């Protein structure tokens, strides 16, 4: 009877398997050796660690082993024994070999030498097979799981908000249109505009920039919800921190004020970072060693220190007094750039900072107006190396004030009547925020380009794979 495959992570961690016959399957990382014995490092993606397979040339011919090159795929049955050599605790003494697929050394792009991250971005279809991307993708999974666990354990309900929408949540107009109209032959209204009544949904639609507005509908019914889904922004920002398609996590909680919201955000990030440190240890240690020797220290620092909480107005005073020459000059009223955020976090406080109470002009229409009439109850969480990792606020719960703001900004009522109904019928104080999932993955992996923490990045001029 054929024996069942064991994953390499289990082979390496279950000491009761030593002395038994195992079946392992995976992709070859390297082969080396001499005319008596050949050593193959096999990886199956279940762990960053390779399993050493030993081929005794008394049992296998050169001809049989010849197709075993980097990237080829194998099934090996053999006995698991304690290893004599350095670098591994156990190894498989091969008895049976099946080669599933070869990988021509002339054309397989991932040969053993270290490749640059830029090179690997061009090979995004194969880069998950490298140590670095294997580690990043396993950490990404672990963080996604931590997010669901955090909210589920606290009684939040996972709400799926639509990806196709007729409203612009952030009011920034950076939306991708969704249409089935023939772009070479557009139907026109009498005044020459595109006639969207003939489009698929009978109106103009786009991909969502945020699930928040629908999230508020959920929160004002279920009490506490979170979304976790793809978000699309057609901003032409070619930076190491922006994607055109990214994943956002948006909790929304009825009866929470801005302080509760800050507490939730801080607990949430700390939980996720701690969960990753405990559950993706090997991968984080690998990245710490390969890319950034202070990664683990930085992660522990975030877990163990309170975030600074500071009004925007105070933050501006600190920036003005810093004597630093910023590329974008600062004064009260400007939107903060990444250089300003990072100055506050990395140089001034040396801690994560939650900046609150921003000028209403630079924030979205739904934020609660403060008594000063100038600032809103916004809160951005600013992180070392990342800048803004979370953006959120207490929401304006007053129907009259919200409507006034909508009119002030000329937001069309036809898009907003349903949202305003939350304030017409049983309105309550409530708050929420959005965490950019890839920015969290950036922080936890220590990678420096957001294109390297999502399997298939979408950025301006790039939708390959
Ligand atoms: O600050 P933002 O625009 O906030 C919202 O969309 C709110 N509706 C959230 C809410 O209150 N429910 O985006 C939230 C977060 C940012 O802090 C950032 O981490 C991330 O989303 N983000 C991006 N991540 C990658 N690429 C982009 N282009 C991003 N734009 C925002
Ligand atoms: Mg923001």
């Amino acid at each position: 009877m054929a024996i069942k495959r064991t994953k390499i992570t289990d082979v390496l961690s279950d000491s009761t398997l030593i002395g038994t016959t195992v079946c392992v399957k995976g992709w070859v990382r390297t082969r080396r050796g001499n005319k008596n014995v050949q050593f193959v490092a096999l990886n199956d993606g279940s762990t960053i660690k390779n399993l050493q397979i030993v081929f005794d040339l008394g049992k296998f011919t050169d001809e049989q082993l010849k197709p075993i090159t980097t990237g080829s795929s194998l099934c090996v049955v053999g006995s698991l024994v304690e290893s004599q050599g350095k670098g591994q605790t156990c190894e498989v003494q091969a008895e049976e070999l099946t080669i599933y697929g070869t990988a021509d050394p002339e054309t397989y792009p991932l040969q053993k030498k270290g490749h640059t991250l830029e090179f690997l971005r061009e090979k995004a279809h194969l880069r998950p097979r490298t140590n670095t991307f294997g580690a990043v993708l396993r950490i990404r999974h672990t963080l996604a799981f931590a997010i669901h666990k955090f909210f589920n354990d606290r009684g939040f309900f996972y709400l799926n908000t639509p990806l196709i929408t007729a409203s612009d949540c952030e009011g920034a107009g950076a939306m991708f249109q969704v249409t089935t109209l023939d772009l070479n032959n557009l139907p026109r209204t009498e005044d020459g505009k595109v006639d969207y009544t003939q489009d698929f949904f009978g109106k103009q639609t786009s991909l969502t920039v945020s699930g928040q507005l629908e999230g508020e509908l959920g929160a004002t019914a279920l009490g506490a919800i979170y979304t976790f889904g793809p978000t699309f922004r057609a901003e032409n920002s070619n930076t190491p921190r922006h994607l055109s398609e990214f994943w956002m996590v948006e909790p929304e909680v009825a009866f929470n004020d801005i302080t509760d919201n800050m507490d939730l955000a801080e607990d949430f990030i700390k939980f996720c970072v701690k969960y990753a440190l405990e559950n993706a240890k090997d991968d984080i240690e690998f990245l710490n060693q390969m890319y950034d020797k202070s990664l683990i220290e930085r992660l522990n620092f975030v877990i163990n220190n309170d975030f600074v909480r500071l009004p925007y107005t105070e933050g501006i005073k600190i920036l003005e007094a810093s004597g630093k020459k910023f590329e974008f000059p600062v004064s009260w009223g400007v939107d903060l750039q990444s250089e300003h955020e990072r100055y506050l976090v990395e140089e001034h406080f040396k801690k994560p900072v939650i900046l609150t109470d921003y000028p209403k002009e630079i924030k979205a229409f739904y934020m609660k107006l403060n008594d000063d009439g100038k600032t809103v109850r916004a809160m951005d969480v600013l992180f070392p190396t990342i800048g803004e990792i979370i953006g959120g606020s207490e929401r304006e719960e007053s129907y009259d004030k919200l409507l006034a703001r909508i009119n002030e900004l000329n937001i069309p009522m036809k898009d907003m009547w349903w949202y305003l109904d939350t304030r017409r019928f049983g309105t309550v104080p409530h708050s929420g925020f959005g965490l950019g999932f890839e920015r969290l993955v950036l922080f936890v992996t220590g990678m420096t380009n957001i294109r390297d923490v999502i399997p298939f990045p979408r950025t301006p001029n790039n939708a390959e794979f």
Side-chain angles (χ1 to χ4, degrees), residues 151-152 154-160 218 222-227 250:
F151 288 119
N152 183 62
R154 283 159 188 75
F156 285 61
F157 300 104
Y158 179 36
L159 185 80
N160 299 122
L222 301 170
I225 63 90
Y226 69 106
T227 72
E250 295 184 276

Side-chain angles (χ1 to χ4, degrees), residues 75-257:
C75 168
V76 174
V77 176
S79 52
L80 186 69
V81 299
E82 275 176 50
S83 178
Q84 315 298 310
K86 274 211 305 242
Q88 66 272 326
T89 52
C90 59
E91 62 195 21
V92 172
Q93 301 278 357
E95 278 141 31
E96 291 168 34
L97 165 69
T98 310
I99 294 171
Y100 287 127
T102 57
D104 178 6
E106 297 297 316
T107 50
Y108 183 61
L110 306 177
Q111 297 304 329
K112 23 177 176 165
K113 66 176 162 49
H115 296 293
T116 65
L117 295 170
E118 289 78 13
F119 172 83
L120 291 173
R121 251 171 250 149
E122 315 263 294
K123 308 276 180 258
H125 59 309
L126 294 171
R127 68 179 182 171
R129 295 188 187 188
T130 63
N131 280 336
T132 298
F133 285 92
V136 168
L137 294 179
R138 281 185 298 269
I139 293 168
R140 186 180 163 104
H141 160 82
T142 304
L143 285 168
F145 193 82
I147 287 164
H148 285 296
K149 180 166 168 54
F150 176 88
F151 288 119
N152 183 62
D153 288 355
R154 283 159 188 75
F156 285 61
F157 300 104
Y158 179 36
L159 185 80
N160 299 122
T161 51
L163 301 189
I164 299 176
T165 176
S167 55
D168 181 358
C169 172
E170 292 304 297
M175 302 183 87
F176 291 100
Q177 285 197 47
V178 174
T179 181
T180 53
L181 292 177
D182 177 357
L183 297 182
N184 292 311
N185 185 19
L186 289 169
R188 301 278 173 184
T189 59
E190 269 167 24
D191 53 0
K193 298 213 170 92
V194 175
D195 183 6
Y196 285 105
T197 62
Q198 297 191 42
D199 204 349
F200 190 87
F201 295 104
K203 54 161 84 170
Q204 188 178 0
T205 52
S206 305
L207 294 176
T208 191
V209 295
S210 159
Q212 179 195 322
L213 302 186
E214 292 88 354
E216 288 183 51
L217 304 179
T220 53
L222 301 170
I225 63 90
Y226 69 106
T227 72
F228 185 0
T231 320
F232 307 88
R233 299 213 177 165
E235 318 161 284
N236 200 2
S237 321
N238 250 310
T239 83
R241 280 177 284 278
H242 287 87
L243 290 164
S244 312
E245 176 181 300
F246 63 99
W247 287 64
M248 192 160 26
V249 181
E250 295 184 276
E252 191 70 35
V253 189
F255 316 113
N256 267 10
D257 66 14

Side-chain angles (χ1 to χ4, degrees), residues 26-45:
W27 293 267
V28 172
R29 287 295 169 80
T30 57
R31 174 158 73 96
R32 64 187 174 82
N34 54 42
K35 58 183 180 344
N36 299 321
V37 60
Q38 291 276 309
F39 301 99
V40 167
L42 197 70
N43 190 285
D44 68 359

Side-chain angles (χ1 to χ4, degrees), residues 170 233 363 380 388 390-392:
E170 292 304 297
R233 299 213 177 165
K363 288 293 180 189
D380 280 8
E388 179 189 334
I390 279 181

Side-chain angles (χ1 to χ4, degrees), residues 4-20:
K4 264 182 99 162
R5 172 204 173 200
T6 308
K7 285 192 182 176
I8 289 176
T9 185
D10 298 328
V11 170
L12 293 176
S13 60
D14 181 355
S15 59
T16 66
L17 291 174
I18 301 234
T20 68

Side-chain angles (χ1 to χ4, degrees), residues 325-384:
K325 268 260 160 293
F326 293 110
E327 189 189 338
F328 297 88
V330 292
S331 59
W332 199 94
V334 302
D335 203 357
L336 295 187
Q337 303 293 325
S338 160
E339 55 172 343
H340 309 130
E341 296 172 344
R342 293 184 63 174
Y343 175 82
L344 290 174
V345 172
E346 290 165 27
E347 294 182 50
H348 188 82
F349 289 109
K350 299 189 163 61
K351 273 183 178 189
V353 174
I354 311 183
L355 214 55
T356 61
D357 304 291
Y358 284 71
K360 66 175 181 184
E361 285 76 17
I362 58 172
K363 288 293 180 189
F365 72 93
Y366 49 70
M367 296 190 183
K368 186 178 170 76
L369 191 64
N370 280 317
D371 292 339
D372 62 13
K374 293 195 307 194
T375 59
V376 287
R377 238 162 259 186
M379 47 152 267
D380 280 8
V381 181
L382 313 179
F383 250 48

